[in-house]
């Protein structure tokens, strides 16, 4: 692209140094755009939890800001690479238009098969089958599912509808008819409705759709369902229409007239009342789409509707069932008197009252087609349609649905001659302003029920749930009772399976944008994440109520809140703005470009803004990282060699702030300003982690590794590169055949921080490589990473964590890279994976947690791995926490030290009077004689003994005080055992020397 | 149980009115909400509220008009401005005109609720 380089490089070509500086500036700018996009996406995802109020303007602004940042990043990339990726601008435009379509509420059906069996609908996005059908597609293996069935059937997808309209040019006709911008008058709507409906009824159903429909019908007939019910299942805003009866339903359809019935239902998209309704709501009158359900028509003995709470008298707390003989048409259309039953909402659902209607007419399935009205035999007219048992089944079904959907339910049911109950339709029961202001006031609840937690963590999904506490961890999948409130230590993906049936979920760690949060929102399970330790607040079996709207957890079952939720009139997830946000995020956030080595890593394959920014970021990094003319030109100033104590050469590309300014080709670790890089290398070079010889190799492994790797272990084949700024790190390590990438942003701002870790390859053959990947996956998940696997490639991601936690995780990754380098050889079979995972986790646990329990922030950097000679010394440890004493004692004794521990400072002083020690380690805060008292005593009576004080707060005052009183040094809680040990050794050496 | 206080909400986006009303009622307040600012202005002539929460950019009278009206008619009423177009200048103008706080959209419901709770508890 010489014209491009002309533009960019013309004036700069004269000064290669300026060109380099310019490109580095562009790279920093690109990094900023990258962070900006990721940040906007994460912040938008957080809004899905419901804690925020946002409006259309927010969505419009969000779309604009995302578009702008992505656009700028693409410009930066092309400026850096001299125009190598101009095709990326097409991708940006594609996504921008898709986002625009969402904001204009233009419905676009996702790609799918034209016909999908009802029991497989669950795996598809909502927009494939529409709301109505989706509600009928749920698993029946739930432990507490009552004995109802759904008639078998299939869905003709929204995509099929779109294809029908397109192929018959109906969509074009719509645009022509509605070309004018202003709203159509009722007369115009009538005329256009007639024209469009005629077109639909006359159209030919494309063979690609007609064939699977006929096959589906054939299958139903063979299964014993010769007659069908064809029902609309609209998308999005029109979903309500589906239920309001504004769309067509055709009953009694046979295989001969199924296609015509399909067209009839689709044509109702253009009925005058539908178009008028849409126009009133601000949508285009005729751009709707629908899926259509074809289900077996139940030859009903009796049918009707049922409400899980009587909408006219919600305060009575009763279920209302209406029933008639034959098909439900009678009840739904209010044609004739019906039976009305009121039942208790609590099992066994006793009837509280009933009115038996004088039923005269009924509808049955007729031959050859359609539905047929007859007279009810005299004997049946005043007989109840339903037995007590059948009423109980209907009630149980209602309550099951209510629990599952978390709101009052309105269902249509039928019972066949054999007494089998069928669910035909269900939807939320919208109650109009049924609660008085006083009943909407929940402010006194906190007075009546103890508050276990308030404002801790973040809300991942709104709602109110109550039940019994059940602690789970990611290793076990317990059998959960109904109404369990899950309390989890982590929010890793393994828990996802347990979520759907839970009353509520609380997690100790995690984020509202993580995987578990997404699943929770999908199933609408009230969820609060990142609450910190909960073991002290609640126990297994406790009854609690989680109000995830206010972020409060109460002890006990708060019936007022449950009722409040049951009878509320609107739900956040049903608002237009929520749907728009979800739709927008779908076009923006999902990442399909995962593997830069794959042939699909191209601009043409970019589907979302996330894909584009990922591509741009990756390609920009490659430009600087691949041994290229850039590196040659920039050597010595921005590109240096990092010298470490292990046989690993690392090229350091300093984009700005990543290195102490030194005009030298070589730097040492101490001169590296990037804390992220230091953390990773600290882990990589920790003792015992980087093995220069494979530790234990069986013959097979040896042979295969000898023949494949043509280099000595430890010698790199390709260049290892670290690109750093003060906060950013991109580290790629080629170790033999292993390829690691660590990309992270480490700053004071928790929200900006993230780590991305990629690992691929291995020394031995494929099965061992995958084993190693399985191990890595387990370790990463245990550390709260979101993990994706593909063959021998593993990607782990974590974001929005505090700086201190970041450092700990990065060090762990350094260790993981080193540790797993030769692990291939060791992993003879899968059963060893568990063992190695535990080993490794114990290692990092040891190294990164102090006795205080929380990860420490300081790191000990090692530039060599020379075996330190163990030193024998006599130590006294004084701390009022027994656990501190125990752990320290264990650790020090393993290293040949002699240790006595005390939790009582008086006893410690007595002991000090009896014998001398090399080092005394004492906490400052003690009961009775304080640490300072002990310190003074020791200074006075055993001047050779060195004293190390442990303090909770590292303040200037403490430091000054400790100095004045003569401590050797001080260390803060929580501390690393490793760190304490080093300090003790130093102190002991001094003590020995002076005595 | 009597209400903790009375609130007038004005925002031309119905989603804002609906969600905020629900949240504030849950917290124990008596709430009236209007998406037509003129109706809100008319209501202000009839009744004194403890707190007025209003958007800035609206059809008809805008948030600053409402602010000035309240300052004039019932100076004890506290006015909170919420807006999607938060600029430093608008903020300064609002605060100078006597708004008690200025919150940019999108905002956490709990944030506004806690603010309102604080406002009704403070001495007039």
């Amino acid at each position: 692209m010489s014209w491009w380089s002309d533009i960019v490089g013309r004036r700069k070509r004269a000064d290669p140094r300026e060109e380099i500086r310019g490109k580095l500036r562009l790279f920093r700018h690109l990094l900023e755009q990258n962070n900006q996009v990721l940040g906007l996406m994460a912040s938008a995802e957080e809004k899905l939890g419901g804690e925020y109020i946002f409006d259309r303007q927010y969505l419009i602004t969000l779309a604009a800001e995302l578009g702008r940042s992505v656009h700028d990043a693409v410009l930066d990339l092309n400026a850096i690479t001299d125009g190598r990726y101009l095709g990326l601008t097409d991708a940006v435009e594609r996504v921008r238009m898709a986002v625009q379509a969402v904001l204009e509420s233009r419905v676009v059906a996702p790609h799918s098969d034209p016909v999908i069996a009802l029991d497989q609908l669950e795996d598809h996005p909502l927009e494939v089958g529409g709301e109505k059908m989706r509600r009928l597609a749920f698993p029946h293996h739930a432990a507490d599912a009552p004995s109802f069935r759904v008639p078998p059937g299939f869905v003709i997808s929204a995509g099929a509808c779109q294809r029908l309209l397109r192929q018959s040019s109906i969509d074009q006709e719509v645009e022509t008819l509605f070309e004018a911008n202003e709203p159509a008058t009722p007369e115009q709507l009538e005329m256009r409705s007639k024209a469009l409906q005629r077109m639909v009824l006359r159209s030919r159903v494309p063979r690609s759709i007609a064939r699977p429909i006929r096959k589906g019908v054939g299958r139903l007939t063979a299964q014993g369902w010769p007659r069908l019910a064809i029902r609309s299942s609209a998308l999005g805003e029109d979903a309500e229409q589906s239920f309001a009866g504004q769309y067509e339903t055709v009953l009694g359809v046979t295989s001969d007239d199924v296609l015509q019935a399909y067209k009839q239902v689709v044509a109702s998209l253009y009925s005058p009342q539908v178009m008028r309704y849409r126009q009133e709501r601000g949508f285009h009158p005729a751009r709707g789409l629908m899926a259509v359900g074809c289900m077996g028509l139940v030859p009903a003995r009796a049918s009707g509707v049922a409400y899980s709470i009587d909408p006219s008298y919600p305060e009575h707390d009763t279920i209302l069932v209406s029933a008639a003989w034959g098909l439900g048409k009678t009840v739904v259309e209010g044609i004739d008197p019906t039976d009305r039953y009121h039942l208790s909402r609590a099992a066994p659902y006793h009837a509280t009252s009933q009115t038996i209607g004088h039923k005269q007419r009924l509808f049955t399935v007729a031959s050859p087609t359609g539905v047929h009205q007859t007279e009810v035999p005299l004997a049946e007219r005043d007989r109840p349609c339903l037995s007590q048992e059948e009423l109980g089944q209907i009630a149980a079904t209602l309550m099951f649905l209510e629990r599952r959907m978390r709101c009052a339910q309105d269902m249509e049911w039928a019972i066949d001659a054999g007494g089998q109950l069928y669910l035909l339709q269900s939807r939320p029961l919208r109650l109009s302003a049924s609660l008085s202001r006083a009943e909407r006031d929940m402010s006194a609840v906190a007075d009546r029920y103890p508050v276990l937690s308030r404002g801790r963590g973040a809300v991942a999904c709104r709602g109110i749930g109550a039940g019994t506490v059940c602690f789970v961890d990611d290793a076990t999948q317990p059998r959960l009772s109904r109404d369990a409130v899950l309390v989890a230590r982590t929010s890793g993906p393994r828990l996802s399976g347990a979520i759907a049936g839970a009353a509520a979920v609380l997690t100790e760690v995690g984020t509202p944008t993580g995987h578990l949060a997404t699943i929770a929102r999908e199933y609408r399970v009230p969820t609060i994440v990142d609450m910190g330790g909960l073991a002290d607040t609640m126990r297994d079996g406790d009854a609690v109520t989680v109000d995830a709207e206010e972020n409060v957890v109460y002890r006990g079952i708060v019936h007022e809140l449950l009722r409040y939720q049951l009878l509320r009139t609107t739900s956040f997830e049903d608002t237009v703005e929520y749907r728009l946000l979800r739709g927008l995020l779908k076009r923006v956030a999902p990442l399909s470009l995962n593997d830069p080595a794959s042939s699909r890593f191209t601009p043409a394959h970019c589907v979302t803004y996330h894909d584009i920014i990922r591509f741009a970021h990756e390609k920009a990094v490659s430009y600087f990282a691949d041994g290229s003319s850039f590196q040659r030109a920039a050597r010595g100033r921005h590109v240096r060699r990092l010298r470490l104590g292990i046989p690993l050469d690392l090229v350091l590309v300093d984009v700005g702030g990543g290195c102490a300014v030194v005009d030298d080709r070589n730097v040492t670790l101490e001169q590296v300003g990037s804390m992220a890089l230091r953390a990773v290398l600290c882990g990589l070079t920790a003792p015992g982690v980087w093995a220069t010889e494979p530790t234990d190799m069986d013959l097979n492994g040896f042979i295969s590794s000898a023949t494949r790797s043509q280099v000595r272990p430890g010698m790199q084949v390709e260049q290892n590169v670290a690109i750093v700024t003060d906060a950013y790190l991109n580290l790629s390590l080629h170790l033999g055949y292993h390829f690691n990438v660590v990309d992270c942003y480490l700053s004071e701002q928790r929200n900006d921080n993230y780590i991305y870790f990629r690992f691929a390859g291995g020394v031995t053959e494929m099965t061992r490589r995958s084993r190693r990947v399985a191990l890595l996956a387990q370790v990463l998940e245990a550390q709260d990473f979101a993990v994706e696997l593909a063959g021998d490639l593993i990607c782990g991601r974590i974001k929005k964590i505090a700086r201190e936690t970041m450092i700990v995780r990065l060090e762990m990754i350094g260790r993981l890279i080193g540790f797993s380098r030769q692990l291939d050889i060791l992993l003879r079979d899968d059963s060893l994976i568990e063992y190695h995972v535990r080993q490794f986790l114990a290692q990092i646990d040891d190294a990164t947690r102090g006795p205080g329990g929380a990860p420490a922030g300081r790191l000990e950097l090692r530039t060599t791995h020379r075996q330190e000679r163990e030193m024998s010394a006599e130590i006294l440890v004084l701390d009022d926490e027994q656990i501190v004493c125990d752990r320290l004692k264990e650790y020090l004794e393993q290293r040949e030290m002699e240790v006595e521990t005390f939790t009582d400072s008086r006893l410690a002083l007595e002991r000090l009077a009896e014998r001398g020690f090399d080092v005394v380690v004492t906490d400052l805060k003690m009961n009775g004689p304080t640490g300072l008292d002990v310190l003074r005593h020791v200074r006075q009576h055993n001047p050779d003994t060195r004293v190390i004080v442990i303090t909770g707060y590292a303040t200037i005052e403490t430091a000054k005080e400790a100095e004045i009183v003569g401590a050797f040094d001080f260390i803060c809680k929580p501390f690393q055992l490793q760190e304490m040990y080093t300090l003790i050794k130093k102190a002991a050496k001094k003590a020995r020397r002076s005595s | 149980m009597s209400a903790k206080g009375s609130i007038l909400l004005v925002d031309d986006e119905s989603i804002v009115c609906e969600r905020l009303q629900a949240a504030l009622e849950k917290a124990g307040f008596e709430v009236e909400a209007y998406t037509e600012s003129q109706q809100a202005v008319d209501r202000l002539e009839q009744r004194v509220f403890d707190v007025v929460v209003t958007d800035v950019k609206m059809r008809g009278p805008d948030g600053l008009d409402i602010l000035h009206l309240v300052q004039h008619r019932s100076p004890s009423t506290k006015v909170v401005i919420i807006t999607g177009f938060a600029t430093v200048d608008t903020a300064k103008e609002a605060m100078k005109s006597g708004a008690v706080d200025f919150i940019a959209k999108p905002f956490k419901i709990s944030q506004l609720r806690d603010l309102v709770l604080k406002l009704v508890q403070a001495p007039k």
Side-chain angles (χ1 to χ4, degrees), chain A residues 954-972:
Chain A
T955 63
I956 299 175
E957 317 311 317
T958 325
K960 287 204 287 201
E961 175 110 59
E963 257 299 303
I964 292 170
V965 192
F968 174 75
D969 206 336
F970 73 91
I971 192 171
C972 295

Side-chain angles (χ1 to χ4, degrees), chain A residues 471-520:
Chain A
F471 275 85
V472 296
D473 69 55
D474 43 326
T476 59
Q477 284 267 15
R479 285 249 143 259
L480 294 167
S481 66
R482 189 177 71 191
D483 298 340
V485 172
L486 296 189
V487 181
R489 241 231 80 221
T490 68
S491 61
R494 275 151 196 272
L495 289 172
S496 312
I499 290 175
V505 173
L506 305 174
T507 74
E508 292 184 340
V509 299
T511 67
T513 51
H515 183 77
L516 185 137
T518 311
I519 301 279

Side-chain angles (χ1 to χ4, degrees), chain A residues 50 52 440 442 547 550, chain B residues 1 19 25-26 109 113:
Chain A
Y52 289 82
R440 294 198 291 277
M442 293 288 111
D547 180 352
E550 310 296 328
Chain B
M1 198 181 88
R19 294 194 66 206
E25 282 182 340
K26 192 178 178 197
I109 300 177
R113 182 206 57 211

Side-chain angles (χ1 to χ4, degrees), chain A residues 694-698 700-702 704-705 708 735 737-738 759-776 792 817-829 832 836:
Chain A
T695 45
D696 168 34
M697 214 162 48
D698 67 315
N700 269 327
F702 177 84
S704 56
S705 86
R708 272 172 218 280
L735 307 174
Y737 279 88
H738 318 110
F759 186 103
V763 177
T764 60
E765 82 283 7
M766 192 60 166
T767 40
R768 282 194 176 172
R769 267 187 265 164
S770 320
R771 273 187 209 133
R772 194 254 304 281
V773 159
L775 177 149
L776 290 182
D792 69 347
I817 293 174
F819 182 76
S820 67
R821 223 182 104 246
Q822 294 299 332
L823 213 52
D824 262 1
I825 317 292
L826 289 177
L827 287 180
R828 289 188 203 95
D829 60 69
L832 288 177
H836 285 294

Side-chain angles (χ1 to χ4, degrees), chain A residues 19-290:
Chain A
E19 187 183 346
I20 289 168
R21 273 201 290 272
K23 292 200 176 185
L24 291 174
R25 264 200 303 274
L26 288 166
F27 183 61
R28 291 203 75 147
H29 189 251
L30 192 152
L31 287 181
E32 277 166 38
Q33 300 319 303
N34 185 49
N35 275 3
Q36 171 81 334
V37 170
L38 295 178
L40 283 170
M41 278 179 0
S43 145
E45 277 169 348
E46 226 186 306
K47 307 283 182 294
L48 289 175
E51 280 186 289
Y52 289 82
I53 286 194
F54 60 89
D55 53 17
R56 283 192 75 98
Q57 188 53 50
Y58 166 70
L59 297 170
I60 294 168
T61 310
L62 175 67
E65 285 177 353
L66 283 168
R68 193 172 30 242
S69 284
V70 172
H71 181 253
D72 284 353
V74 169
L75 281 182
D76 291 337
L77 175 68
N78 280 308
I80 291 170
T81 60
D82 304 315
R84 207 182 293 171
Y85 302 103
L86 296 176
L88 213 44
T89 43
D90 291 337
V92 176
E93 188 52 27
R94 245 185 297 126
V95 179
R96 200 195 59 77
M97 292 204 327
V99 165
Q100 203 52 37
V102 169
L103 291 178
E104 290 169 13
S105 296
R106 256 182 290 136
V107 184
V108 173
H111 288 301
S112 72
D113 290 335
V115 164
I116 299 160
L118 199 56
D119 55 23
Q120 280 162 13
L121 199 56
E122 219 200 351
D123 302 327
H124 291 76
L126 178 59
E127 292 82 7
V128 167
E131 304 242 2
K132 193 190 285 188
M133 287 300 121
R134 198 39 166 6
R135 274 193 246 277
L136 295 174
F138 46 81
H140 284 257
H141 45 259
D144 59 339
S147 56
F148 69 90
R149 285 198 205 150
V150 173
F154 56 89
V155 175
I156 307 170
S157 69
C161 176
Q162 188 162 356
R163 210 179 314 164
L164 170 68
L165 297 176
R166 209 169 274 164
Q167 286 204 327
S168 314
S169 305
I170 295 170
D171 58 345
Q172 268 180 22
E173 184 65 15
V174 165
E175 297 310 314
T176 314
L177 286 175
F178 288 91
E179 214 170 353
N181 243 338
E182 71 273 345
T185 66
E187 297 78 33
Q188 284 172 324
L189 283 181
E190 279 285 340
M191 270 190 353
R192 294 173 193 181
S193 159
K194 281 207 182 70
L196 289 168
Q197 287 190 315
R198 203 181 319 133
M199 272 186 89
V200 175
L201 291 169
R202 287 209 187 132
S203 69
R204 202 182 64 85
V205 178
R207 254 179 84 207
S208 56
I209 301 169
R211 276 248 294 268
I213 291 177
R214 286 220 185 80
K215 259 174 87 175
V217 174
R219 229 175 287 138
L220 286 174
T221 311
Q223 286 171 347
W225 297 88
R227 295 282 168 65
L228 308 173
I230 315 292
R231 301 174 193 272
S232 65
S233 179
L235 314 182
E237 296 68 45
D238 288 346
E240 279 304 311
Q241 293 280 69
S242 249
F243 297 111
Q246 302 236 40
Y247 288 133
E248 280 267 355
T249 294
V250 188
L251 301 179
V253 175
T254 63
S255 53
D256 290 331
D257 34 58
V258 65
L259 290 179
Q260 196 59 26
Y262 174 57
K263 287 190 289 186
Q264 222 178 308
V265 174
V266 170
S268 61
L269 276 171
Y270 307 117
S271 76
Q273 61 265 37
V274 166
M275 294 207 290
R276 197 170 35 241
Y277 180 83
R278 284 179 63 98
Q279 193 166 260
E280 274 166 23
R281 295 288 221 70
F283 300 108
H284 189 287
R287 280 195 189 145
L289 281 181
M290 64 157 76

